[in-house]
Amino acid sequence: VTIKQIVKGKKTWNSLDLPPGSPSASVSSAPATAVGLLTAKSSEAIGRNPDAAGAIRTNMILGAALAEGLGILSFVLGILLWTRIG
Amino acid sequence: VEFLFPHGFKYPPDFHIPSLTGESLFHVGPLSYTNAHLTMAIVIVLLFGVVWLATRDLRERPSGLQNATELLVQGLSDFVVSIGGPSARKYLPLFGTLFLFIVVSNWLSVVPFVGQVKFLHSPTADYHINFGMAVLAWVAYQTEGFRTLKLEYAKRWFNLSGFKDGPFIGAIFILVGLIELFSEIFRMLTLTLRLWGNVLGGEIMLVVMSGLLFLPGLALPFVGLEVFIGLVQGLVFALLVLMYFVLAVESHDEEHQEGSHTDTDRVPSPEQHPQARAA
């Protein structure tokens, strides 16, 4: 199976026989880094300006959720591989 | 050893992974009633029961359940006002309903037997229900945008005002508008998948962890983690919907005027926040 056959529509992604965990395994370090950076920076910001803690925390939760969304998308992709839907 | 492993020792054991969607219990014509529907009804009965008990005899000086409910509603209301200003308080019913429903559903997913027996399946671990909520919120905030800004609302997607500065700027504005239009549609998808992936992933993780660690009690820290994640995801879903509402009703033209009052409360002037002196 080559990528060319998949792009032309002759084969599906399932014929690559990827392990179902591979999308999550390869992607999940990126959102983890992003969430870590977000938390570190917003902790610093709260330390500098404790009055703005509420707004900073809200922004942090929003940003963490958006960053985590990518990891969750890879998890969904893994489930698609596992159930052989895609 | 025979008491611990009645069917013989096997590692790793056979996991009963919760199903990705609800399973059909019975059919009514072309529609099927799934176990997620049943659990959703249980959630609604639970929430209604608490509210009914709390408001059965209202007092001037609340105590007990009425006090707790008022604290919760007041907290949600203050949160909405802190995000979108006093004019956003009219979105509290939708925000609060989404938040309470999602959080209770998420917390049901870590209760034993939910997701494991045939009749119970956490509603937010079924992507149809999440997609329904996302579509509802999407339609609601688009309607609110059109109602508030009339046809000016569509200007954020089809902005021809750049052509008066030349064709190049105009083309860029059109392109930006198209990207905005696509992100508008992707909001539904990301809202759905974020919630579903988190809740279902948590359920799978609990099953796998309690299988791998032999003793059920060792998986308890992960239950705590899931309770926290359930709260955060409920907050995130409702908060994102609220943010979409706030973004939909704000006009793009007034935002960039220098010195408007909306400008000053985002960037505080140096007089209001003097620099801290070095110790």
Side-chain angles (χ1 to χ4, degrees):
Chain A
V1 180
T2 60
I3 300 291
K4 213 172 185 177
Q5 284 174 317
I6 295 171
V7 172
K8 281 184 177 172
K10 287 176 184 161
K11 301 268 179 174
T12 61
W13 283 105
N14 276 326
S15 44
L16 279 181
D17 243 353
L18 290 171
S22 57
S24 265
S26 53
V27 166
S28 58
S29 66
T33 316
V35 172
L37 267 176
L38 266 161
T39 315
K41 286 287 178 186
S42 50
S43 300
E44 269 179 28
I46 290 174
R48 280 166 197 268
N49 187 359
D51 290 339
I56 293 171
R57 198 176 299 123
T58 311
N59 275 340
M60 184 191 83
I61 291 176
L62 263 181
L66 291 177
E68 212 185 35
L70 298 176
I72 293 297
L73 281 181
S74 72
F75 169 74
V76 171
L77 196 61
I79 284 187
L80 290 184
L81 281 175
W82 175 48
T83 54
R84 325 275 295 173
I85 293 172
Chain B
V1 176
E2 276 178 15
F3 172 74
L4 277 175
F5 306 103
H7 305 296
F9 181 75
K10 187 177 179 229
Y11 191 86
D14 297 324
F15 302 117
H16 180 222
I17 301 287
S19 59
L20 308 185
T21 63
E23 284 154 27
S24 167
L25 293 179
F26 58 86
H27 289 270
V28 184
L31 306 171
S32 68
Y33 191 87
T34 63
N35 45 9
H37 284 127
L38 185 67
T39 320
M40 189 156 69
I42 292 175
V43 171
I44 292 169
V45 166
L46 214 71
L47 285 172
F48 260 101
V50 168
V51 171
W52 180 74
L53 282 177
T55 57
R56 204 172 32 168
D57 61 329
L58 289 172
R59 302 222 180 111
E60 277 292 313
R61 292 187 171 188
S63 64
L65 193 58
Q66 191 195 342
N67 208 354
T69 315
E70 283 187 7
L71 188 73
L72 181 67
V73 173
Q74 189 65 49
L76 286 176
S77 175
D78 289 347
F79 185 74
V80 168
V81 170
S82 79
I83 296 291
S87 65
R89 207 194 290 270
K90 59 173 179 278
Y91 308 128
L92 175 67
L94 184 64
F95 171 85
T97 310
L98 282 176
F99 175 77
L100 289 177
F101 176 75
I102 293 172
V103 166
V104 172
S105 307
N106 288 354
W107 283 351
L108 267 187
S109 75
V110 298
V111 171
F113 299 116
V114 177
Q116 299 286 321
V117 298
K118 182 143 174 59
F119 296 102
L120 295 171
H121 191 278
S122 174
T124 44
D126 181 346
Y127 54 82
H128 301 96
I129 287 165
N130 299 347
F131 188 61
M133 287 191 291
V135 168
L136 181 125
W138 193 82
V139 170
Y141 85 75
Q142 301 288 1
T143 314
E144 181 71 16
F146 273 115
R147 215 181 58 182
T148 317
L149 298 178
K150 304 291 183 297
L151 276 180
E152 198 194 320
Y153 181 64
K155 241 178 82 180
R156 62 187 65 193
W157 308 317
F158 309 106
N159 195 348
L160 300 173
S161 69
F163 278 109
K164 64 173 180 274
D165 298 331
F168 185 64
I169 306 283
I172 287 182
F173 272 36
I174 295 261
L175 209 62
V176 169
L178 280 181
I179 293 172
E180 190 91 349
L181 191 60
F182 270 103
S183 77
E184 207 72 42
I185 294 164
F186 271 99
R187 279 173 179 179
M188 269 192 293
L189 193 69
T190 51
L191 274 180
T192 310
L193 290 184
R194 182 180 301 116
L195 186 58
W196 177 63
N198 267 298
V199 179
L200 184 78
E203 278 191 348
I204 293 177
M205 187 189 70
L206 283 184
V207 168
V208 171
M209 281 300 164
S210 46
L212 290 181
L213 296 177
F214 293 116
L215 300 174
L218 288 182
L220 266 180
F222 295 99
V223 174
L225 180 73
E226 277 316 305
V227 168
F228 175 69
I229 285 182
L231 181 68
V232 168
Q233 289 305 318
L235 183 70
V236 159
F237 192 100
L239 182 61
L240 279 175
V241 169
L242 181 66
M243 292 292 281
Y244 295 157
F245 267 100
V246 172
L247 288 176
V249 298
E250 81 175 7
S251 173
H252 272 220
D253 291 339
E254 291 167 22
E255 197 185 27
H256 298 297
Q257 280 174 5
E258 296 280 328
S260 67
H261 69 281
T262 51
D263 217 77
T264 46
D265 57 51
R266 275 185 206 163
V267 186
S269 60
E271 294 85 41
Q272 284 171 328
H273 288 262
Q275 281 187 342
R277 276 183 229 103

